[in-house]
Amino acid sequence: MPMKLAQIALLAAACGLVPTAAHAGLDIGINIGGPVVVRSSPPPPRHEYMPPRPGPGYVWIGGHWGWHHERWEWNGGRWDYHPGGAWTAGHWEPRGGGYVWIEGSYGAAPAPAAVAYEGEVANSAPPPPEYEAVPVAPGPDFFWIGGHWHWEGRWVWIHGRYQRHPHFHPGASWEAGRWDHRDGRWVWHDGHWR
Protein backbone atom coordinates (compact mmCIF):
# COMPACT_ATOMS: atom_id res chain seq x y z
CA MET A 1 0.00 0.00 0.00
CA PRO A 2 1.56 3.38 -0.95
CA MET A 3 2.51 5.53 2.05
CA LYS A 4 -0.07 8.30 1.37
CA LEU A 5 -2.94 5.77 1.12
CA ALA A 6 -1.80 4.02 4.33
CA GLN A 7 -1.79 7.37 6.17
CA ILE A 8 -5.34 8.11 4.97
CA ALA A 9 -6.53 4.65 6.06
CA LEU A 10 -4.98 5.10 9.54
CA LEU A 11 -6.56 8.56 9.90
CA ALA A 12 -9.97 7.22 8.82
CA ALA A 13 -9.74 4.37 11.34
CA ALA A 14 -8.74 6.78 14.11
CA CYS A 15 -11.76 8.99 13.33
CA GLY A 16 -14.13 6.00 13.38
CA LEU A 17 -14.83 6.20 9.64
CA VAL A 18 -13.72 2.59 8.99
CA PRO A 19 -15.68 -0.28 10.57
CA THR A 20 -13.81 -2.33 13.13
CA ALA A 21 -14.52 -5.62 14.89
CA ALA A 22 -16.22 -3.62 17.68
CA HIS A 23 -18.91 -2.61 15.17
CA ALA A 24 -19.72 -6.18 14.09
CA GLY A 25 -23.37 -6.52 13.02
CA LEU A 26 -23.80 -2.77 12.42
CA ASP A 27 -25.47 -1.93 9.09
CA ILE A 28 -23.30 0.47 7.13
CA GLY A 29 -23.21 1.96 3.67
CA ILE A 30 -19.84 2.20 1.97
CA ASN A 31 -19.19 4.66 -0.85
CA ILE A 32 -15.62 5.14 -2.06
CA GLY A 33 -15.92 6.71 -5.49
CA GLY A 34 -18.77 4.43 -6.56
CA PRO A 35 -22.29 3.36 -5.63
CA VAL A 36 -23.26 2.95 -1.98
CA VAL A 37 -23.04 -0.69 -0.87
CA VAL A 38 -25.41 -1.41 2.03
CA ARG A 39 -24.43 -4.46 4.08
CA SER A 40 -27.97 -5.51 5.06
CA SER A 41 -30.78 -6.52 2.72
CA PRO A 42 -33.68 -4.09 2.31
CA PRO A 43 -36.91 -4.87 4.20
CA PRO A 44 -39.79 -6.44 2.24
CA PRO A 45 -41.67 -3.94 0.04
CA ARG A 46 -44.66 -2.22 1.61
CA HIS A 47 -48.16 -2.56 0.20
CA GLU A 48 -49.17 0.79 -1.28
CA TYR A 49 -52.52 2.32 -2.11
CA MET A 50 -52.30 3.62 -5.67
CA PRO A 51 -54.60 6.65 -6.03
CA PRO A 52 -56.49 7.12 -9.31
CA ARG A 53 -54.36 8.19 -12.25
CA PRO A 54 -54.49 12.00 -12.54
CA GLY A 55 -54.93 11.81 -16.30
CA PRO A 56 -53.55 10.50 -19.57
CA GLY A 57 -49.78 10.30 -19.83
CA TYR A 58 -49.19 9.62 -16.12
CA VAL A 59 -47.03 6.65 -15.09
CA TRP A 60 -47.04 5.06 -11.62
CA ILE A 61 -43.61 4.92 -9.98
CA GLY A 62 -43.91 2.47 -7.09
CA GLY A 63 -42.37 3.07 -3.70
CA HIS A 64 -39.10 1.49 -2.59
CA TRP A 65 -36.75 1.27 0.35
CA GLY A 66 -33.90 3.79 0.35
CA TRP A 67 -30.77 3.93 2.50
CA HIS A 68 -30.67 7.34 4.24
CA HIS A 69 -28.80 8.48 7.35
CA GLU A 70 -27.53 4.95 8.05
CA ARG A 71 -31.00 3.36 8.10
CA TRP A 72 -33.73 2.05 5.79
CA GLU A 73 -36.47 4.59 4.94
CA TRP A 74 -39.54 4.03 2.77
CA ASN A 75 -39.92 6.31 -0.29
CA GLY A 76 -43.62 6.26 -1.22
CA GLY A 77 -44.87 5.78 -4.77
CA ARG A 78 -46.19 8.61 -6.93
CA TRP A 79 -47.69 9.46 -10.30
CA ASP A 80 -45.26 11.05 -12.78
CA TYR A 81 -46.26 12.75 -16.04
CA HIS A 82 -44.35 11.07 -18.87
CA PRO A 83 -46.53 10.45 -21.95
CA GLY A 84 -45.48 7.56 -24.14
CA GLY A 85 -42.97 6.29 -21.61
CA ALA A 86 -42.70 2.91 -19.93
CA TRP A 87 -41.21 2.87 -16.43
CA THR A 88 -38.70 0.20 -15.41
CA ALA A 89 -38.63 0.14 -11.63
CA GLY A 90 -35.41 0.57 -9.68
CA HIS A 91 -34.19 -2.31 -7.51
CA TRP A 92 -31.59 -3.34 -4.96
CA GLU A 93 -28.98 -5.58 -6.58
CA PRO A 94 -26.70 -7.90 -4.57
CA ARG A 95 -23.12 -6.74 -5.13
CA GLY A 96 -19.82 -6.55 -3.26
CA GLY A 97 -21.04 -8.41 -0.17
CA GLY A 98 -24.07 -6.10 0.14
CA TYR A 99 -26.75 -4.37 -1.90
CA VAL A 100 -26.49 -1.51 -4.43
CA TRP A 101 -29.46 0.62 -5.59
CA ILE A 102 -30.05 0.58 -9.37
CA GLU A 103 -32.15 3.60 -10.38
CA GLY A 104 -35.38 3.13 -12.31
CA SER A 105 -35.64 4.64 -15.77
CA TYR A 106 -37.99 5.47 -18.61
CA GLY A 107 -37.87 3.67 -21.92
CA ALA A 108 -40.05 3.55 -24.97
CA ALA A 109 -43.52 2.23 -24.30
CA PRO A 110 -44.00 -1.27 -25.71
CA ALA A 111 -46.05 -1.50 -28.86
CA PRO A 112 -49.64 -2.24 -27.93
CA ALA A 113 -50.92 -5.72 -28.64
CA ALA A 114 -53.59 -5.99 -31.30
CA VAL A 115 -56.92 -5.52 -29.54
CA ALA A 116 -60.42 -4.88 -30.69
CA TYR A 117 -60.60 -1.61 -28.70
CA GLU A 118 -58.09 1.15 -28.05
CA GLY A 119 -57.90 2.73 -24.59
CA GLU A 120 -60.05 1.96 -21.58
CA VAL A 121 -63.28 0.06 -22.15
CA ALA A 122 -66.37 0.26 -19.93
CA ASN A 123 -69.67 -1.57 -20.16
CA SER A 124 -71.76 1.34 -18.86
CA ALA A 125 -72.02 4.97 -19.90
CA PRO A 126 -69.93 7.49 -17.94
CA PRO A 127 -71.87 9.79 -15.60
CA PRO A 128 -72.45 13.40 -16.67
CA PRO A 129 -69.30 15.55 -16.32
CA GLU A 130 -68.81 17.26 -12.96
CA TYR A 131 -68.75 21.05 -12.81
CA GLU A 132 -65.26 22.47 -12.34
CA ALA A 133 -64.38 26.11 -11.73
CA VAL A 134 -61.45 26.91 -14.01
CA PRO A 135 -58.83 29.04 -12.23
CA VAL A 136 -56.69 31.67 -13.97
CA ALA A 137 -53.90 30.14 -16.08
CA PRO A 138 -50.42 30.34 -14.49
CA GLY A 139 -48.90 31.46 -17.82
CA PRO A 140 -49.51 31.79 -21.58
CA ASP A 141 -48.13 28.33 -22.37
CA PHE A 142 -50.44 26.57 -19.85
CA PHE A 143 -53.69 24.96 -20.96
CA TRP A 144 -56.65 23.74 -18.96
CA ILE A 145 -57.09 19.99 -19.21
CA GLY A 146 -60.63 19.44 -18.01
CA GLY A 147 -61.63 16.67 -15.67
CA HIS A 148 -63.12 13.45 -16.98
CA TRP A 149 -64.49 10.11 -15.82
CA HIS A 150 -62.03 7.23 -15.59
CA TRP A 151 -63.09 3.57 -15.45
CA GLU A 152 -61.42 1.44 -12.72
CA GLY A 153 -64.10 -1.20 -12.31
CA ARG A 154 -66.20 1.77 -11.18
CA TRP A 155 -66.40 5.38 -12.35
CA VAL A 156 -63.83 7.71 -10.75
CA TRP A 157 -63.67 11.46 -11.46
CA ILE A 158 -60.21 12.74 -12.49
CA HIS A 159 -60.02 16.45 -11.64
CA GLY A 160 -58.96 19.00 -14.24
CA ARG A 161 -55.60 20.75 -14.05
CA TYR A 162 -53.36 23.18 -15.89
CA GLN A 163 -50.55 21.67 -17.91
CA ARG A 164 -47.69 23.38 -19.72
CA HIS A 165 -47.67 22.69 -23.46
CA PRO A 166 -44.52 20.59 -24.13
CA HIS A 167 -43.84 22.32 -27.49
CA PHE A 168 -45.63 25.65 -27.20
CA HIS A 169 -46.23 27.50 -30.49
CA PRO A 170 -48.77 30.01 -31.82
CA GLY A 171 -52.09 28.25 -32.24
CA ALA A 172 -51.17 25.52 -29.72
CA SER A 173 -54.05 23.83 -27.89
CA TRP A 174 -55.19 20.77 -25.98
CA GLU A 175 -57.77 18.47 -27.56
CA ALA A 176 -59.73 16.82 -24.76
CA GLY A 177 -60.11 13.06 -24.44
CA ARG A 178 -63.56 11.54 -24.87
CA TRP A 179 -65.65 8.43 -24.32
CA ASP A 180 -67.17 6.99 -27.52
CA HIS A 181 -70.01 4.47 -27.63
CA ARG A 182 -69.09 1.55 -29.88
CA ASP A 183 -70.53 -1.97 -30.19
CA GLY A 184 -72.46 -1.65 -26.92
CA ARG A 185 -69.34 -0.52 -25.00
CA TRP A 186 -67.76 2.78 -24.03
CA VAL A 187 -64.17 3.34 -25.24
CA TRP A 188 -61.84 6.08 -23.96
CA HIS A 189 -59.69 8.08 -26.40
CA ASP A 190 -56.86 10.03 -24.74
CA GLY A 191 -56.60 13.76 -25.27
CA HIS A 192 -53.56 15.16 -27.04
CA TRP A 193 -51.61 18.35 -27.75
CA ARG A 194 -51.95 20.28 -30.99
Side-chain angles (χ1 to χ4, degrees):
M1 177 181 308
M3 184 56 131
K4 192 86 154 165
L5 189 55
Q7 289 171 335
I8 292 171
L10 284 172
L11 179 61
C15 294
L17 299 176
V18 175
T20 62
H23 293 98
L26 179 67
D27 289 337
I28 61 168
I30 300 173
N31 180 6
I32 303 175
V36 174
V37 178
V38 181
R39 297 295 177 201
S40 66
S41 62
R46 288 185 175 174
H47 176 74
E48 289 189 297
Y49 166 73
M50 187 170 63
R53 185 171 61 151
Y58 280 84
V59 176
W60 177 253
I61 298 176
H64 67 276
W65 287 103
W67 183 254
H68 304 286
H69 309 294
E70 302 304 315
R71 64 188 172 117
W72 291 107
E73 292 182 3
W74 180 254
N75 300 304
R78 69 188 193 287
W79 287 106
D80 187 45
Y81 185 72
H82 199 279
W87 176 252
T88 300
H91 62 278
W92 285 96
E93 180 177 288
R95 190 186 304 169
Y99 293 83
V100 173
W101 176 249
I102 307 300
E103 288 291 337
S105 62
Y106 282 104
V115 292
Y117 300 100
E118 298 173 11
E120 300 169 39
V121 178
N123 290 325
S124 63
E130 291 191 2
Y131 172 77
E132 292 184 303
V134 179
V136 175
D141 55 343
F142 282 82
F143 291 83
W144 178 251
I145 297 176
H148 67 277
W149 289 105
H150 173 70
W151 180 254
E152 294 181 355
R154 63 183 176 91
W155 290 108
V156 176
W157 180 254
I158 305 297
H159 293 281
R161 69 195 184 286
Y162 272 105
Q163 182 89 30
R164 185 186 299 266
H165 195 293
H167 307 289
F168 184 71
H169 57 83
S173 65
W174 170 256
E175 185 168 317
R178 68 185 190 285
W179 285 99
D180 285 338
H181 191 241
R182 192 175 356 155
D183 300 327
R185 295 184 174 185
W186 291 86
V187 180
W188 174 253
H189 299 277
D190 281 339
H192 60 274
W193 294 106
R194 291 184 168 251

